Amino acid sequence: MTGRGVIQWPSGASYDGDVCGGFIDGTGTFKGVDGSLYKGSWRMNKKHGMGTMVYANSDTYEGFWNEGLPEGFGKYTWANGSTYIGSWKSGKMNGRGVMKWTNGDTLDCNWLNGLAHGKGFCKYASGACYIGTWDRGLKDGHGMFYQPGSKIPCNLEVSECVTDHDVSSASSSGNENVNSGLLFLLQKLCNTWRIRNLFHRPRRISNGTAPVFDDNSGNHLSEDSSTEPLTTGGCLQDSGVDKVLVYEREYVQGVLISEKPKGHDSGMPDSGKTQEHTWQKQAGGPMETIYKGHRSYYLMLNLQLGIRYTVGKITPVPLREVRSNDFGPRARIRMYFPCEGSQYTPPHCSVNFFWKDYCPMVFRNLREMFHIDAADYMMSICGDDSLKELSSPGKSGSIFYLSQDERFVIKTLRKTELKILLKMLPKYYNHVRAYDNTLITKFFGVHRITLKGGRKVRFVVMGNMFCTELRIHRKYDLKGSTQGRSTKKQNINENTTLKDLDLSYVFHVDKPWRDALFRQISLDCMFLESQSIIDYSMLLGIHFRAPYHLKTSSSHQNSPETGISDTDLLQYGEKSSWKGFLLVAHEPGTTVGGSHIRGSMVRASEAGYEEVDLVLPGTGRFRVQLGVNMPARALKVCEDMNTELKNPDSIEEYDVVLYLGIIDILQEYNVSKRVEHAVKSLKFDPLSISAVDPSSYSKRFVKFLESVFPEQD
């Protein structure tokens, strides 16, 4: 059958439209047995292209299809009047989109598998607004709540290209379908280009891991959409002064755990311009994707070209044990990359540059040691996606880049740091090979780019300790010193890495885990002390679980992805230090792996298993190792290290998942550090400053961590 015609089946279904080679192919209308109606494009018996579907329950979808499922840009309208306009993938809301409920509430954010997941904002029918982050359909992390009547950032608008006009203009029938589809897509792309060109940077809120709402109901928002503040006491200021209208909120898995008013006297921006800047900064997060025209664009292209070349060159070489001549600054690969290409390099659209790869065989073995596939490594850093640059460089002046999948961190190095790394590399290699549970930073490559004019930029590629599906609610950089180890209150936001004096919690972990943890910390500190290294710190990431008695019903739903039956679950007893967690016997291949997890698993005494997995209902199943996915109980013992709790009788306790590792290991105790110690000792307590001799530093570091992870009675 070829041409245009009508097909009727005995079941009652019918099709009126184009047919080609015996297949429904072209444009046409299909009426289902259940009363559903599809009008649009087809390919090989499947809905493909622009089309409109009216379901049996009166729901409607207008937009793009791919292989029989909504995919691309489209509008879904529920029978009750709720709508979603935005991106779809494999039949689910995925990407940027706007959900509007019949009661007037609107949620504009990123979506993942049908749930709100990432940065976004919600406008309520009452006029209130919440700007924050969602995780698997639930509010999670810090955000700003604006009561009705407050000044909302002026550039809060629904997602670019997401309008009813876009979709309605795309919906057509017959021979106009293809033309309308092209017009619809062109309009969408033009709108995006116009906005990006105007601001010279991507305007979308950055994608993050976040959950989604069920796409078959519009009622889930109201579970936690109260437009009233958590507390009303103290919200009114002195007579004659307006009521506080803006609040800083913090959520954990949909549970509101803290709220405080943010008035004009506490640094609340007044002007619309400042408000707009605040929203832009919050929306973009701590990172921005490097785009063409960005100051780091050509540097990123050079780095990707160089890594692709050297990894591709070293990978075919048979794996062997490293030799002494594989170490040192002379063990390198050098290459010139002209724009027009050469006998050994491809042509490229960046600037001419010289490339140097240090100790390629050593780092190739390290990547193998940490089970990193060469193809995955290149795709992560050198794929089609751009790198992301951290907006706030470190205190040392180094700039940090992140791969799009967030598995790897790339940091610029000073020349002295490069020399220290190459000098300690033989001992570092032996240490990480001997202790596979080491907490020390994992290095995967060291490179140098020389640009026109002789400017040299040195990079090191490291593993990202916070590459996890779980949201990291708090980050701490802990050295064990006290001088200058606090963060100004006005500078703290959800992306801030806090310091020693800001820490207000102690953490109780299972005794075997604590013993193994400090055994490894001692070994790592002994290694760093032998290399005369100081100024290193413990980077601690904390994922808070919502208090069990406050969890919403959606927080308790078990995820079918975990593959755990009720009989397999082992829940800790009432006397356990983390009774809210579920541990099950480890099964290889069933856990959510980290980016480069390596090492033996530690025994959990409460579970009675040699190896255990952590099960978080609705999230996944995670392999527990030292420093990775470690369950613990956090007790808030003070407001910070210098302030006692206002009400010591009510101690806050939380179930937490910890991520930790030792970072910044490239600072020697050299002459300048000795001078710094001598000068600061005249003004401050010599034991409170960071610059002390390696032996004292190591002992103080371990002692401080023992106070953070105290032994249980």
Side-chain angles (χ1 to χ4, degrees):
M1 296 183 294
T2 300
R4 190 164 185 87
V6 178
I7 304 174
Q8 291 183 335
W9 287 269
S11 62
S14 65
Y15 171 76
D16 182 356
D18 296 329
V19 181
C20 182
F23 293 95
I24 297 177
D25 198 293
T27 59
T29 302
F30 179 84
K31 294 181 180 179
V33 184
D34 57 357
S36 60
L37 177 69
Y38 173 79
K39 190 175 183 179
S41 298
W42 296 79
R43 188 175 75 178
M44 302 289 286
N45 289 346
K46 292 185 177 181
K47 306 175 187 72
H48 193 92
M50 276 297 302
T52 300
M53 179 77 175
V54 179
Y55 296 90
N57 63 355
S58 299
D59 289 356
T60 303
Y61 173 78
E62 309 170 64
F64 287 100
W65 297 74
N66 182 38
E67 296 295 322
L69 294 173
E71 184 156 326
F73 194 78
K75 174 183 178 181
Y76 193 99
T77 304
W78 282 266
N80 64 1
S82 298
T83 61
Y84 169 81
I85 305 175
S87 297
W88 295 76
K89 185 175 181 180
S90 300
K92 293 184 178 181
M93 298 180 286
N94 205 305
R96 192 70 184 168
V98 178
M99 184 81 173
K100 186 172 183 179
W101 284 265
T102 51
N103 64 357
D105 292 347
T106 302
L107 176 61
D108 182 348
C109 70
N110 290 299
W111 300 76
L112 180 68
N113 294 328
L115 300 174
H117 193 78
K119 297 282 186 180
F121 62 90
C122 181
K123 289 185 176 180
Y124 300 98
S126 63
C129 178
Y130 177 77
I131 305 172
T133 307
W134 278 257
D135 184 70
R136 295 178 180 84
L138 301 173
K139 294 189 182 91
D140 200 63
H142 290 269
M144 299 296 297
F145 177 75
Y146 298 81
Q147 290 199 69
S150 60
K151 181 182 286 187
I152 298 175
C154 59
N155 65 332
L156 277 183
E157 299 174 358
V158 295
S159 297
E160 57 264 27
C161 320
V162 182
T163 62
D164 289 334
H165 174 69
D166 288 338
V167 178
S168 60
S169 67
S171 302
S172 59
S173 61
N175 295 329
E176 297 179 357
N177 188 284
V178 176
N179 292 334
S180 296
L182 291 174
L183 179 63
F184 173 50
L185 180 61
L186 182 61
Q187 184 182 31
K188 178 177 182 292
L189 293 176
C190 287
N191 287 341
T192 305
W193 178 85
R194 183 181 69 248
I195 291 176
R196 291 188 178 183
N197 186 60
L198 178 63
F199 293 100
H200 301 287
R201 65 184 294 270
R203 295 289 298 159
R204 293 189 307 171
I205 297 177
S206 62
N207 251 335
T209 51
V212 198
F213 289 89
D214 292 338
D215 56 3
N216 59 0
S217 171
N219 299 325
H220 289 280
L221 180 65
S222 61
E223 291 180 2
D224 189 28
S225 60
S226 171
T227 55
E228 296 298 324
L230 183 65
T231 57
T232 55
C235 291
L236 295 177
Q237 299 180 2
D238 292 338
S239 176
V241 182
D242 293 338
K243 182 174 69 173
V244 176
L245 297 177
V246 182
Y247 293 84
E248 294 180 2
R249 286 184 170 183
E250 183 175 7
Y251 289 85
V252 174
Q253 288 92 56
V255 177
L256 180 59
I257 62 172
S258 69
E259 179 183 72
K260 59 181 179 180
K262 187 173 179 64
H264 294 287
D265 58 341
S266 61
M268 186 63 195
D270 252 354
S271 65
K273 183 177 179 180
T274 310
Q275 286 272 21
E276 181 174 350
H277 174 72
T278 303
W279 161 245
Q280 291 176 6
K281 185 174 181 181
Q282 182 173 357
M287 300 171 289
E288 63 173 340
T289 300
I290 299 174
Y291 55 92
K292 190 171 183 178
H294 191 279
R295 61 184 178 276
S296 299
Y297 179 70
Y298 290 114
L299 197 61
M300 177 194 73
L301 291 183
N302 296 347
L303 180 68
Q304 291 177 326
L305 280 167
I307 290 179
R308 190 181 295 117
Y309 171 80
T310 50
V311 173
K313 186 179 180 67
I314 198 70
T315 300
V317 177
L319 192 65
R320 60 170 175 80
E321 284 295 322
V322 294
R323 309 185 186 111
S324 58
N325 58 357
D326 290 323
F327 295 95
R330 294 188 177 276
R332 62 188 184 271
I333 295 177
R334 300 181 65 183
M335 185 55 61
Y336 176 60
F337 285 78
C339 294
E340 63 276 9
S342 67
Q343 181 181 355
Y344 305 103
T345 63
H348 57 87
C349 57
S350 183
V351 295
N352 300 341
F353 69 97
F354 287 92
W355 172 262
K356 182 183 287 188
D357 185 40
Y358 293 95
C359 308
M361 183 57 70
V362 176
F363 288 107
R364 183 261 180 96
N365 282 23
L366 284 172
R367 291 192 293 270
E368 292 282 346
M369 199 181 296
F370 290 104
H371 308 300
I372 295 177
D373 181 73
D376 290 341
Y377 183 71
M378 285 194 291
M379 285 301 298
S380 178
I381 300 176
C382 313
D384 295 334
D385 294 325
S386 297
L387 301 177
K388 293 182 281 190
E389 179 178 300
L390 297 184
S391 58
S392 54
K395 184 179 178 181
S396 63
S398 299
I399 300 175
F400 293 83
Y401 303 95
L402 202 60
S403 60
Q404 275 292 337
D405 59 7
E406 301 190 358
R407 291 181 64 188
F408 303 101
V409 177
I410 302 169
K411 175 187 175 184
T412 59
L413 294 177
R414 300 191 302 268
K415 186 176 181 179
T416 54
E417 292 177 320
L418 174 62
K419 288 183 176 180
I420 293 170
L421 177 55
L422 295 178
K423 175 184 173 183
M424 70 184 294
L425 189 58
K427 297 291 181 62
Y428 171 86
Y429 181 88
N430 292 332
H431 181 78
V432 298
R433 184 174 62 173
Y435 304 105
D436 53 6
N437 279 319
T438 180
L439 300 174
I440 292 178
T441 303
K442 299 171 178 62
F443 296 122
F444 301 126
V446 178
H447 319 286
R448 189 185 79 181
I449 293 173
T450 304
L451 303 171
K452 185 178 179 180
R455 180 194 170 202
K456 297 176 181 178
V457 185
R458 303 161 186 88
F459 299 93
V460 61
V461 182
M462 307 175 291
N464 178 17
M465 288 187 298
F466 295 157
C467 181
T468 173
E469 288 189 5
L470 302 180
R471 179 175 176 79
I472 303 298
H473 296 101
R474 294 281 193 281
K475 291 177 287 186
Y476 291 92
D477 183 274
L478 307 174
K479 291 179 180 288
S481 56
T482 56
Q483 182 58 43
R485 299 297 297 165
S486 62
T487 308
K488 294 181 179 179
K489 299 292 184 183
Q490 59 268 30
N491 295 336
I492 296 178
N493 57 49
E494 65 173 319
N495 302 312
T496 303
T497 300
L498 304 172
K499 300 179 182 179
D500 303 61
L501 296 180
D502 304 315
L503 184 63
S504 57
Y505 299 94
V506 295
F507 304 95
H508 289 165
V509 298
D510 196 18
K511 188 177 188 303
W513 289 346
R514 184 186 185 278
D515 294 342
L517 177 66
F518 279 96
R519 185 162 53 248
Q520 188 59 56
I521 290 175
S522 298
L523 290 169
D524 291 339
C525 288
M526 286 173 59
F527 162 72
L528 296 173
E529 183 182 339
S530 69
Q531 302 300 304
S532 298
I533 300 296
I534 62 168
D535 264 355
Y536 50 87
S537 56
M538 178 67 76
L539 185 61
L540 173 65
I542 308 172
H543 168 79
F544 287 90
R545 303 301 294 173
Y548 191 80
H549 64 286
L550 294 177
K551 289 185 181 180
T552 60
S553 59
S554 56
S555 302
H556 291 250
Q557 295 173 357
N558 287 332
S559 172
E561 300 175 358
T562 59
I564 305 296
S565 65
D566 293 337
T567 56
D568 292 333
L569 294 177
L570 173 67
Q571 187 164 11
Y572 284 155
E574 291 297 324
K575 294 185 179 180
S576 169
S577 57
W578 44 86
K579 63 182 180 182
F581 286 116
L582 304 174
L583 293 184
V584 296
H586 173 65
E587 295 180 13
T590 61
T591 55
V592 178
S595 57
H596 28 74
I597 290 178
R598 166 182 173 264
S600 58
M601 301 180 67
V602 290
R603 176 187 175 89
S605 62
E606 296 286 342
Y609 297 121
E610 287 294 334
E611 298 179 347
V612 294
D613 294 337
L614 171 64
V615 177
L616 301 178
T619 304
R621 179 171 177 164
F622 301 85
R623 184 182 181 188
V624 180
Q625 291 186 281
L626 281 186
V628 181
N629 303 322
M630 288 186 63
R633 172 58 65 90
L635 281 73
K636 189 168 186 178
V637 294
C638 55
E639 297 297 339
D640 54 52
M641 286 295 186
N642 293 324
T643 309
E644 296 294 334
L645 280 175
K646 296 178 181 179
N647 185 8
D649 295 330
S650 59
I651 298 179
E652 297 181 25
E653 297 185 21
Y654 297 96
D655 292 319
V656 296
V657 182
L658 302 179
Y659 298 83
L660 57 157
I662 298 175
I663 62 170
D664 296 338
I665 63 169
L666 299 179
Q667 176 60 61
E668 278 187 326
Y669 188 59
N670 50 24
V671 175
S672 64
K673 286 295 178 181
R674 293 173 189 273
V675 172
E676 179 185 342
H677 174 77
V679 172
K680 288 188 175 181
S681 295
L682 298 175
K683 187 176 181 180
F684 307 107
D685 179 2
L687 297 178
S688 68
I689 59 179
S690 179
V692 295
D693 66 273
S695 177
S696 300
Y697 193 98
S698 173
K699 293 176 182 176
R700 184 181 64 189
F701 181 75
V702 174
K703 183 179 179 181
F704 176 75
L705 291 178
E706 286 176 343
S707 67
V708 175
F709 296 91
E711 286 191 274
Q712 300 181 63
D713 296 334

